[in-house]
Amino acid sequence: MGFAAVVFDLDGVLVESEHLWEENWVAYAAAHGVEWTAADTATVQGMSAPEWAAYLAERSGTPETPEQVEKAVVDGMIRSIANGEAPLLDGADAMVRDVAARVPVALASSAARRVIDAVLETHGLTGEFSATVSSAEVPRGKPSPDVYAEAASRLGFRGEECLGVEDSSNGIRAAAAAGLTVIALPNPTYPPKPDALELAAQVAESNHDVRKLLLAYLAGELVRS
């Protein structure tokens, strides 16, 4: 049986933005006299916005609510996107458009809804996606499978019928747990753990490679392992 759809991650797969999240977390913590570390970033990567906002609120000791913390960080992300600081990764545009011309595609991201919408609108990709899901819209963030299961469901398919593209440890774990066949595009700044990479059917070096692999799977030239 072939694949019926593809689900993409956002940060680190379509756009270069992982560092912007970290910069905003660092800045918020610093404003409250707390040093945000690489270990903190590793802890929250893949979490939904409510989850990381609660962590950041507790970590920074702020009197603000998690909702206020989330708004402050997301506002910073929106400013960065508007300033052109979240460019598409090389090959991402062609990858999405060529795949979307063949099967329905969805987005399953840990980013807040406002960030997802701003990125896709900025880069003219909104119309390519049949569904987009923020992990804030499901019970649990990555590495739980919820956001990928929901994305597949919104397309009308089961996870097993979909291909997924992910760059991070928790993202790969989430997609695999939802039953997707995963192509890993390892993030060079935040590389996936070896145990996560073992869950991927393929490991690619660039979006150009991912595009070729996706089209090969969809054409039946590659089959699920």
Side-chain angles (χ1 to χ4, degrees):
M1 183 179 69
F3 293 99
V6 176
V7 185
F8 294 100
D9 179 36
L10 179 66
D11 296 312
V13 170
L14 302 187
V15 292
E16 187 65 56
S17 52
E18 292 278 12
H19 65 291
L20 298 177
W21 288 106
E22 185 170 44
E23 288 173 9
N24 278 280
W25 293 326
V26 167
Y28 188 92
H32 293 81
V34 172
E35 181 184 1
W36 182 271
T37 68
D40 290 312
T41 296
T43 297
V44 302
Q45 277 183 327
M47 285 184 178
S48 68
E51 290 169 339
W52 61 248
Y55 179 95
L56 179 54
E58 181 177 359
R59 180 78 173 80
S60 65
T62 178
E64 294 188 316
T65 65
E67 292 77 15
Q68 290 171 316
V69 174
E70 177 185 334
K71 183 179 185 304
V73 171
V74 171
D75 284 349
M77 287 294 297
I78 297 296
R79 286 193 296 271
S80 295
I81 294 165
N83 290 335
E85 297 172 31
L88 281 179
L89 288 165
D90 186 37
D93 185 274
M95 174 182 68
V96 169
R97 294 183 189 280
D98 287 355
V99 172
R102 288 161 175 78
V103 295
V105 300
L107 193 72
S109 175
S110 298
R113 167 54 59 187
R114 284 201 293 147
V115 172
I116 292 172
D117 292 346
V119 167
L120 295 184
E121 182 177 354
T122 296
H123 295 297
L125 289 174
T126 303
E128 301 299 325
F129 288 88
S130 299
T132 61
V133 186
S134 165
S135 57
E137 299 164 359
V138 295
R140 301 169 297 172
K142 303 173 185 179
S144 295
D146 302 27
V147 69
Y148 273 97
E150 178 65 18
S153 177
R154 290 190 190 182
L155 293 177
F157 301 110
R158 295 176 294 106
E160 291 79 7
E161 298 175 277
C162 302
L163 292 155
V165 184
E166 265 287 355
D167 69 307
S168 69
S169 292
N170 283 341
I172 294 169
R173 292 175 182 130
L180 282 76
T181 294
V182 184
I183 298 175
L185 178 64
N187 191 302
T189 307
Y190 311 99
K193 302 294 185 184
D195 68 294
L197 279 178
E198 289 177 2
L199 299 172
Q202 304 280 349
V203 179
E205 294 184 0
S206 70
N207 275 321
H208 298 290
D209 292 337
V210 174
R211 173 184 168 277
K212 292 176 183 177
L213 287 167
L214 290 173
L215 295 178
Y217 273 115
L218 295 174
E221 296 166 7
L222 289 173
V223 296
R224 67 184 77 238
S225 56

